[in-house]
Amino acid sequence: MPLPQPVAEELRRIVGRESVIDAPNDLRIFERDGSIEGAVPDAVVLASSTEHVSAVIKVAAKHRIPVVPRGAGTGLSGGAVTIRGGIALQVTRMRKILAIDPVAQTALVEPGVVNQELSLVAAQHGLFYAPDPSSQKACTIGGNAAENSGGPHCLYYGVTTNHVLGMEVVLADGSVHWVSGDAPDRVGLDLCGVLVGSEGTLCAITKIKVRLLRIPPSIATMLAAFPSIETASQAVSAVIGHGIVPAALEMMDSVTVGAVEAHYHAGYPTDAGAVLLVEVDGIAESTRELMAAIGKILGENQGYAIREAQTPAERELLWAGRKGAIGALGRIKPNYYLHDGVVPRSRLPQVLSAVGEIGEHYQLPVANVFHAGDGNLHPNILFDLRDRQVLHQVEAAGEEMLRAVVELGGALSGEHGIGLEKSAFMPWIYNPDDLGAMHRVKDVFDADGILNPGKIFPDPSRKSVHLAGRTGLAVEAKWW
Amino acid sequence: MTAPTVEKPASAEELARRLHEAAASKLAVAPVGGGKARGMGGVIERCDVLLHTTRLDRMIEHSQADMVVSVEAGITLEALQAELAKTGQFLPLDPFHSPGHTIGGLLATGWTGPLRLRYGSPRDFLIGIRVALPDGTLASGGGRVVKNVSGYDMMKLHYAALGSLGVIVAASFKVFPKPLHDVTVSSHGGWTDIDRALGAPVAPAALELFSDGGVLARYSGSPDAVDRVVTELGWRRVGGEVWDEHARRGPERWARITVARAELPKVMEALPPGAQWWASPGAGIAHWANTNDAGSIRVVRSAVEARGGTLVMLAAPDEFMREVGAWGAPPSTLEIQRRLKNAFDPDHVLNPGRFVI
């Protein structure tokens, strides 16, 4: 439904004529993010400044029109999907790194700065930005902050919220505020901590101050094969049980390894039931010693074909396989549904065997590639969208896998967010009082519910996820 | 003013009930844990009920393999550490004015210690929380997994909120393996030595500076790396018990200064000559002991606030506290914070006058 003409005019006056998109054909590319369900916005507004964001939200508030802040659109839970229509507020033009302070080891960035770009620029000062989602070549710092994104190296370094020092945010009334800042332990409530990970439902983010870390002088990366997921999981627990928390500890199952090896020729052992990728960093003495200890522990836990990257190029290749794993899976089926759940680490073998059984039951191939050290699993259900019936199966299988995660004491999402995808499942882990407390927060920040409505909280008006009706366009355009 | 009623509920449900009863009668409630931080914040305006958490002292579950622990809020830090130590694990929290802190108290106050430099604060490793609200509900957030973005981060809402929105009754933490190697060294080179330690390729787990120029540094991790850095620094090795001694500091009058770490040396220069203090320069935190001159507190506070920092009184006699004010300049988001207060504690029965909202 197009915006009323006077509203569209108001928006054009704010950002300029060419920065409001509302022609139906042009809107279609904003229909979705990296997740499975889409909805076409009524208008897309391309903001270039905090003033734009503030003024646009004021207009939206006045007319009670939904506003959904949007970065690169790589999110995997539908966080940027305008499910109730309204305005997609695109912030990717706000892509300046405003300051890097090498002494304080901080950076001040606009929300549209790409994650990897920040680390590349910071590297000139010997610094890096630690959270590294697999989409880091495209995803934005603003989106990372809104979703509290993770990544392989969060095992040691922590997730986005641990690295955000402060933010400039625009609230639902269009007012602009700074929350937190460089000094620790500020006076009053930790609004910044509450707003990080609020998925665009409490504020739009217009500047982010982040902590940068010194690039470790030495990095060592090791690959080990295991007969099975169970033995590999056991080895993960053994490493950590020895008092070693590596920088990253990633696992790939045999399906993934096969696809990755065929694509990247990274030397992954294709006969393995599972492969572990382990990385440690620090000074050379430390990485040498830790790698020796880890190699020994892996060997004692049925690890074989244990190999340490000998050159930076070899290390890059091992990581290219991991970070590009999802793409490589296209060799098996053209489409995937990437799930995200997290269990207590010791439950990994159980949950992965449940995931395998569910895949078999639905006759859907499942590839697992995930952050084993955190207990954060990512089952990928592989399918071919040309078979239109399969979507319901994919959806049902995904729901059962999440159910298994929750039944083993886990949580619905480790790093992708609840968004649209999982809002209906929130009552699985939170009772009405828990959700009621979260709702109080929502009501304080956005009483009229204009900011990213229909996300996080279960929506009684949506009985179930309707995939088929939304995907017709995508199928025709071969976007999947 | 009559003496407040003392309530010592034996379960979270009972505590929520007592809190609700008090709130329904608009009685002012002060939650109490170990009583180690009762001096923090403004002088409480009214107190009708002292709501102790000390009987909620159970270890709910410790999963060694998952490195996750869940406890009731009234358990002391020492009891928790003793339990974790049986499996070679620990919670990296070493607050001042120890021993005797309860976990709930530490979460409500946000007090930390030297290990903050390496491990961050509980803000970084608190993964689940359960809170009794004035309407009698018990609301949980987070979970028992180390990485979780399911819904709003309610841990951040209650952490260091000084019991203004609810009473923390249980919490889950990510815990850590005890380091393979743990060495403490000391020197007397003041800020020069601090810069040296912070500039070295191996970061200390803790690094403390004292007003007499003394420096304590703790290195943990792989033995080879620790030995290399300790050898390069050439400082004197001392026993690890100095940290317990250090953590016992908790003067009758003291203040906490926080500022961006690069600004800390300048801020500390604003302290009057002879001032007694200690600092975690890598974290941008300092503690100023025996603060009895309101004038110099005002001077330092304005110097700190001009640099975006804070000076918060952790304990002082009531009259002095009223004179200098506990918190300093209110946050710019005060109005939103008050709305959050109203949403959770509409009758302002929790700790009235003590927090900034």
Side-chain angles (χ1 to χ4, degrees):
Chain A
M1 197 178 69
L3 292 181
Q5 205 48 44
V7 177
E9 276 313 308
E10 270 185 84
L11 295 173
R12 287 196 167 88
R13 274 198 296 278
I14 295 165
V15 292
R17 188 148 294 278
E18 72 293 350
S19 297
V20 175
I21 297 168
D22 57 0
N25 280 334
D26 297 341
L27 289 172
R28 285 183 185 171
I29 56 166
F30 298 92
E31 183 192 26
R32 58 184 64 249
D33 56 10
S35 69
I36 202 153
E37 193 181 11
V40 180
D42 300 329
V44 175
V45 177
L46 308 171
S48 303
S49 66
T50 301
E51 291 70 32
H52 282 172
V53 173
S54 164
V56 169
I57 291 180
K58 277 180 187 158
V59 169
K62 186 168 74 180
H63 300 286
R64 302 271 170 102
I65 297 167
V67 184
V68 181
R70 183 181 170 101
T74 56
L76 291 162
S77 60
V81 173
T82 47
I83 196 67
R84 304 247 177 102
I87 299 165
L89 183 50
Q90 182 85 22
V91 297
T92 39
R93 283 185 177 174
M94 300 170 69
R95 53 168 185 249
K96 282 198 284 292
I97 295 175
L98 299 167
I100 288 185
D101 184 336
V103 178
Q105 297 183 13
T106 60
L108 178 66
V109 302
E110 289 188 326
V113 168
V114 170
N115 175 296
Q116 194 172 53
E117 188 197 331
L118 176 57
S119 278
L120 286 174
V121 174
Q124 297 163 11
H125 306 280
L127 302 169
F128 75 109
Y129 177 62
D132 60 340
S134 291
S135 58
Q136 71 183 132
K137 285 179 186 168
C139 65
T140 61
I141 302 290
N144 294 170
E147 298 292 323
N148 191 11
S149 305
H153 288 85
C154 293
L155 174 62
Y156 182 83
Y157 289 107
V159 295
T160 301
T161 192
N162 307 118
H163 298 272
V164 173
L165 295 170
M167 301 195 293
E168 182 191 74
V169 296
V170 179
L171 300 186
D173 61 357
S175 60
V176 181
H177 304 267
W178 257 102
V179 289
S180 292
D182 303 66
D185 295 344
R186 304 176 73 82
V187 167
L189 300 174
D190 180 6
L191 298 187
C192 184
V194 175
L195 295 177
V196 171
S198 62
E199 305 190 19
T201 65
L202 302 180
C203 69
I205 300 165
T206 46
K207 287 190 185 79
I208 308 110
K209 185 90 180 254
V210 297
R211 187 198 316 279
L212 300 174
L213 301 176
R214 277 192 288 182
I215 296 173
S218 168
I219 301 173
T221 310
M222 182 180 272
L223 190 79
F226 289 85
S228 63
I229 284 181
E230 286 73 20
T231 48
S233 301
Q234 188 49 48
V236 167
S237 288
V239 168
I240 291 175
H242 273 78
I244 301 170
V245 181
L249 222 175
E250 301 283 301
M251 200 191 298
M252 280 164 272
D253 68 0
S254 57
V255 177
T256 312
V257 167
V260 164
E261 192 49 29
H263 195 80
Y264 288 96
H265 310 293
Y268 283 31
T270 48
D271 66 330
V275 159
L276 282 184
L277 189 61
V278 191
E279 186 161 286
V280 295
D281 58 29
I283 61 167
E285 283 86 344
S286 163
T287 55
R288 211 161 39 229
E289 194 174 359
L290 288 175
M291 264 305 160
I294 291 169
K296 184 160 173 283
I297 297 166
L298 298 182
E300 287 164 1
N301 283 276
Q302 302 188 47
Y304 65 96
I306 298 172
R307 186 161 69 85
E308 195 181 327
Q310 297 302 317
T311 62
E314 258 184 67
R315 172 176 177 260
E316 287 300 315
L317 192 57
L318 290 181
W319 274 109
R322 164 62 187 90
K323 292 209 171 178
I326 308 293
L329 291 170
R331 292 178 163 263
I332 300 171
K333 291 276 182 182
N335 307 113
Y336 65 85
Y337 188 0
L338 175 59
H339 260 286
D340 171 39
V342 53
V343 292
R345 193 185 302 113
S346 61
R347 303 296 179 92
L348 273 178
Q350 277 165 281
V351 80
L352 292 170
S353 102
V355 162
E357 280 165 25
I358 294 164
E360 273 167 35
H361 174 79
Y362 285 93
Q363 297 183 318
L364 290 165
V366 179
N368 286 287
V369 44
F370 60 99
H371 315 304
D374 290 319
N376 186 184
L377 62 150
H378 288 314
N380 265 285
I381 307 171
L382 308 176
F383 61 100
D384 186 340
L385 196 60
R386 285 168 295 190
D387 171 8
R388 300 297 298 276
Q389 295 311 308
V390 80
L391 265 176
H392 301 287
Q393 303 284 95
V394 169
E395 199 192 327
E399 184 171 335
E400 275 188 40
M401 288 174 191
L402 275 180
R403 190 78 217 177
V405 163
V406 169
E407 278 166 8
L408 288 165
L412 293 172
S413 176
E415 55 185 14
H416 293 178
I418 297 299
L420 197 56
E421 183 194 24
K422 294 173 178 175
S423 58
F425 311 142
M426 284 286 271
W428 290 356
I429 56 170
Y430 296 123
N431 71 29
D433 288 342
D434 306 335
L435 286 171
M438 291 185 195
H439 238 301
R440 294 185 207 197
V441 176
K442 170 70 177 172
D443 290 343
V444 163
F445 280 91
D446 180 23
D448 293 332
I450 63 155
L451 288 175
N452 208 359
K455 308 295 169 65
I456 297 183
F457 297 100
D459 180 351
S461 72
R462 273 164 55 86
K463 286 194 191 78
S464 61
V465 184
H466 293 292
L467 291 162
R470 297 283 184 191
T471 51
L473 262 177
V475 174
E476 284 156 32
K478 296 194 169 55
W479 288 340
W480 287 30
Chain B
M1 204 161 108
T2 53
T5 316
V6 174
E7 298 276 8
K8 293 187 173 176
S11 68
E13 290 71 22
E14 191 192 339
L15 186 145
R17 214 160 41 236
R18 295 274 171 268
L19 176 59
H20 184 215
E21 285 163 9
S25 315
K26 304 220 181 343
L27 296 174
V29 179
V32 186
K36 304 293 289 190
R38 286 170 88 171
M40 188 187 192
V43 179
I44 201 158
E45 288 161 9
R46 307 177 283 132
C47 180
D48 304 308
V49 180
L50 286 172
L51 192 52
H52 288 258
T53 59
T54 34
R55 285 176 72 198
L56 304 179
D57 61 353
R58 278 186 316 131
M59 171 87 120
I60 299 168
E61 193 183 354
H62 171 216
S63 168
Q64 180 187 358
D66 299 326
M67 296 206 300
V68 167
V69 70
S70 299
V71 294
E72 289 188 321
I75 193 171
T76 62
L77 178 61
E78 290 74 26
L80 171 56
Q81 300 286 31
E83 197 60 36
L84 294 174
K86 292 178 187 166
T87 60
Q89 298 177 351
F90 78 120
L91 192 69
L93 187 54
D94 52 354
F96 299 110
H97 206 197
S98 282
H101 287 285
T102 61
I103 289 300
L106 288 168
L107 294 179
T109 58
W111 285 15
T112 57
L115 282 175
R116 171 132 181 206
L117 182 61
R118 156 67 183 87
Y119 294 94
S121 74
R123 185 185 188 275
D124 302 301
F125 46 83
L126 173 67
I127 58 172
I129 199 164
R130 191 162 200 231
V131 182
L133 303 178
D135 67 0
T137 56
L138 282 164
S140 302
R144 291 179 43 78
V145 290
V146 298
K147 201 175 174 190
N148 192 350
V149 293
S150 312
Y152 295 150
D153 192 336
M154 302 302 274
M155 289 72 78
K156 303 283 193 297
L157 185 68
H158 294 285
Y159 179 68
L162 212 55
S164 321
L165 305 180
V167 181
I168 299 167
V169 295
S172 295
F173 296 94
K174 172 162 103 167
V175 296
F176 293 78
K178 284 222 169 131
L180 304 169
H181 201 52
D182 189 0
V183 173
T184 299
V185 290
S186 87
S187 85
H188 273 87
W191 288 103
T192 313
D193 279 355
I194 293 295
D195 289 343
R196 245 188 104 197
L198 289 177
V202 177
L207 179 68
E208 296 284 289
L209 173 66
F210 300 84
S211 42
D212 66 359
V215 172
L216 269 184
R218 185 170 190 171
Y219 288 91
S220 57
S222 95
D224 284 357
V226 168
D227 289 341
R228 177 184 143 186
V229 67
V230 164
T231 307
E232 280 175 9
L233 285 171
W235 298 348
R236 189 168 58 91
R237 284 197 188 221
V238 293
E241 66 283 351
V242 293
W243 295 107
D244 296 330
E245 210 174 290
H246 185 36
R248 278 196 285 274
R249 285 167 204 273
E252 282 174 22
R253 318 159 71 107
W254 56 325
R256 183 186 69 200
I257 294 166
T258 69
V259 71
R261 63 181 193 176
E263 305 281 345
L264 193 66
K266 278 170 260 173
V267 163
M268 299 315 283
E269 277 172 19
L271 264 62
Q276 291 171 285
W277 54 265
W278 69 94
S280 306
I285 300 171
H287 289 88
W288 179 9
N290 307 321
T291 46
N292 51 19
D293 171 22
S296 54
I297 287 176
R298 284 195 200 96
V299 168
V300 174
R301 182 177 265 159
S302 64
V304 177
E305 289 180 351
R307 292 180 160 86
T310 70
L311 186 154
V312 171
M313 298 301 300
L314 299 185
D318 285 0
E319 211 154 305
F320 189 82
M321 195 69 103
R322 286 197 186 93
E323 189 186 348
V324 297
W327 302 101
S332 60
T333 51
L334 191 64
E335 193 261 326
I336 308 159
Q337 301 200 18
R338 287 203 167 123
R339 273 157 42 201
L340 280 165
K341 170 76 173 174
N342 293 338
F344 283 85
D345 179 22
D347 296 315
H348 292 217
V349 298
L350 283 164
N351 268 340
R354 196 172 171 200
F355 199 49
V356 283
I357 50 173

